[in-house]
Amino acid sequence: MFKRKPAPLLTYLSQKTEFEGVLHAEGMLRVDGVIHGTVDIKGDLEISSTGLIEGPEVRAQNIVVQGVLKARVFAEGKLTLSRTARLEGDVVAGALEIEPGAYYTGYIETRDAKSLPPVREVPELYGTTEL
């Protein structure tokens, strides 16, 4: 009679768990433990303050980092770095949010450049002297 909405899929890696290899998952992934390798998530990824991901590449829809992430990062949506986050690697994301205190090193590219206002011509400066 009533159609129930399916619960979102959640994959959880607990604090004392370590994974090595290529991880593919549907839905959300929460990492409290350690992952060494490539991570490909068809949903959102959360790395808690005790979590660490180290590998060549991490892909997800939205990514929230509270722990350590050392990889090349691709976030289709938003990448959020909390004040306890440590990110080392290049980033391609739709949007970026960095809280004060977060550590980041690498190159950042945001994809949604169409929302930027058009570039206006720079006005001439009056009152300057030329040598």
Side-chain angles (χ1 to χ4, degrees), residues 11-57:
T11 302
Y12 175 67
L13 197 70
S14 68
Q15 191 170 355
K16 295 191 178 194
T17 304
E18 190 169 337
F19 176 86
E20 188 169 337
V22 178
L23 178 62
H24 297 281
E26 296 285 330
M28 182 182 171
L29 171 65
R30 178 178 165 101
V31 178
D32 288 347
V34 177
I35 296 176
H36 296 286
T38 300
V39 177
D40 184 17
I41 306 301
K42 304 296 185 222
D44 295 341
L45 168 64
E46 180 182 356
I47 303 169
S48 76
S49 59
T50 62
L52 177 140
I53 297 179
E54 185 174 32
E57 193 172 282

Side-chain angles (χ1 to χ4, degrees), residues 2-129:
F2 296 103
K3 290 188 180 182
R4 191 179 294 194
K5 221 178 188 182
L9 299 173
L10 172 65
T11 302
Y12 175 67
L13 197 70
S14 68
Q15 191 170 355
K16 295 191 178 194
T17 304
E18 190 169 337
F19 176 86
E20 188 169 337
V22 178
L23 178 62
H24 297 281
E26 296 285 330
M28 182 182 171
L29 171 65
R30 178 178 165 101
V31 178
D32 288 347
V34 177
I35 296 176
H36 296 286
T38 300
V39 177
D40 184 17
I41 306 301
K42 304 296 185 222
D44 295 341
L45 168 64
E46 180 182 356
I47 303 169
S48 76
S49 59
T50 62
L52 177 140
I53 297 179
E54 185 174 32
E57 193 172 282
V58 171
R59 290 182 179 270
Q61 180 62 41
N62 297 299
I63 302 173
V64 176
V65 182
Q66 298 167 345
V68 179
L69 176 56
K70 296 180 180 182
R72 184 173 174 141
V73 179
F74 296 93
E76 291 294 321
K78 182 164 82 169
L79 170 65
T80 302
L81 301 179
S82 74
R83 62 181 179 79
T84 59
R86 179 179 177 92
L87 173 60
E88 296 177 21
D90 294 340
V91 171
V92 177
L96 181 65
E97 180 179 345
I98 302 176
E99 292 181 3
Y103 173 82
Y104 172 73
T105 182
Y107 170 80
I108 298 175
E109 176 184 332
T110 55
R111 291 191 178 163
D112 196 15
K114 64 184 174 211
S115 66
L116 294 174
V119 177
R120 295 183 292 158
E121 288 186 37
V122 178
E124 276 187 49
L125 297 177
Y126 294 102
T128 58
T129 58

